[in-house]
Amino acid sequence: MAFDAGPSQSWGLVAGPDQKFLKLKHGTLVLVSECDFDRLSQWSWREHQARHHVYGRRDYREGGVKKCRYLHQEIVGAPSGVIVDHEDGNTFNCTRNNLRIAGYSENAHNAPYITSRRSGGGFRGVYEREGGFRADIQYRGERYYLGDFETAEEAADAYDAKAIQLYGDFAWTNATRNLEVPREMDIPF
């Protein structure tokens, strides 16, 4: 059954053409592509919190062994253990055009996170220093110093440019940090 979701139920997502909301066990709505909706509806999906994200998951038994399957893996047909990345960082958006196979490090680079208090202006890769702000980024175990800047925004722009250069499509930049991505404290169960 498709649902007309209000903003508080759908994490800011709006169903477009060829998309529907799939209702999980405790009422959380996940946006899926219409072509997957009927197949996914044959199972009971529940909310599963892993670290700072919530995913749709179903548990089942195979040969007497308890197993689980994640909604986003089921949609793309990925075997267990293969990482499926949500391009926009929103785990409640499981539409086909938002899912992609990723390696562990690519998935980590695309992960939104809350910056530390010592961070300059709340930007990723930006640190307040006496007289200004410093930007740096880590890639494959190496830290790259990007410079000192007068404003946090200038430092954030330098971080973003280097992140795109290093991580490509998997970069989670300060420009994308303003997207509405639900955090664990927003979960209604």
Side-chain angles (χ1 to χ4, degrees):
M1 171 189 282
F3 296 90
D4 289 326
S8 63
Q9 295 175 300
S10 62
W11 310 107
L13 294 170
V14 176
D18 303 321
Q19 298 175 341
K20 291 184 176 183
F21 283 101
L22 181 71
K23 190 173 185 178
L24 305 184
K25 185 176 182 179
H26 295 287
T28 300
L29 299 177
V30 176
L31 189 62
V32 299
S33 299
E34 188 173 31
C35 62
D36 295 313
F37 184 80
D38 288 337
R39 180 175 54 89
L40 297 170
S41 295
Q42 69 181 312
W43 297 294
S44 175
W45 297 93
R46 67 178 179 87
E47 296 85 350
H48 174 76
Q49 186 160 347
R51 294 186 187 142
H52 301 288
H53 298 288
V54 174
Y55 300 97
R57 176 179 137 170
R58 67 181 174 94
D59 296 315
Y60 64 98
R61 291 197 174 274
E62 189 175 276
V65 177
K66 186 177 177 181
K67 296 188 175 192
C68 72
R69 182 81 167 146
Y70 288 98
L71 182 64
H72 54 284
Q73 288 178 319
E74 182 68 39
I75 290 169
V76 299
S80 184
V82 171
I83 297 172
V84 177
D85 180 64
H86 293 78
E87 189 171 341
D88 68 1
N90 187 339
T91 60
F92 299 104
N93 181 359
C94 287
T95 54
R96 283 185 174 263
N97 64 349
N98 190 49
L99 301 175
R100 58 189 172 181
I101 303 294
Y104 179 80
S105 63
E106 291 171 324
N107 190 49
H109 298 314
N110 188 43
Y113 66 88
I114 300 168
T115 57
S116 69
R117 290 179 191 220
R118 71 182 188 101
S119 176
F123 293 110
R124 181 182 247 184
V126 176
Y127 308 92
E128 192 165 359
R129 302 190 36 90
E130 193 172 314
F133 298 86
R134 170 169 284 177
D136 66 25
I137 191 168
Q138 244 184 301
Y139 180 70
R140 295 188 177 170
E142 286 198 42
R143 184 169 299 278
Y144 294 85
Y145 167 72
L146 305 175
D148 290 318
F149 303 88
E150 289 185 22
T151 68
E153 290 78 11
E154 290 172 326
D157 289 343
Y159 173 91
D160 289 355
K162 190 67 171 179
I164 292 167
Q165 178 188 354
L166 296 173
Y167 305 134
D169 290 340
F170 288 90
W172 185 267
T173 64
N174 289 298
T176 56
R177 86 189 215 324
N178 293 321
L179 295 175
E180 293 238 354
V181 178
R183 296 184 303 271
E184 61 184 315
M185 62 196 102
D186 300 322
I187 299 161
F189 56 92

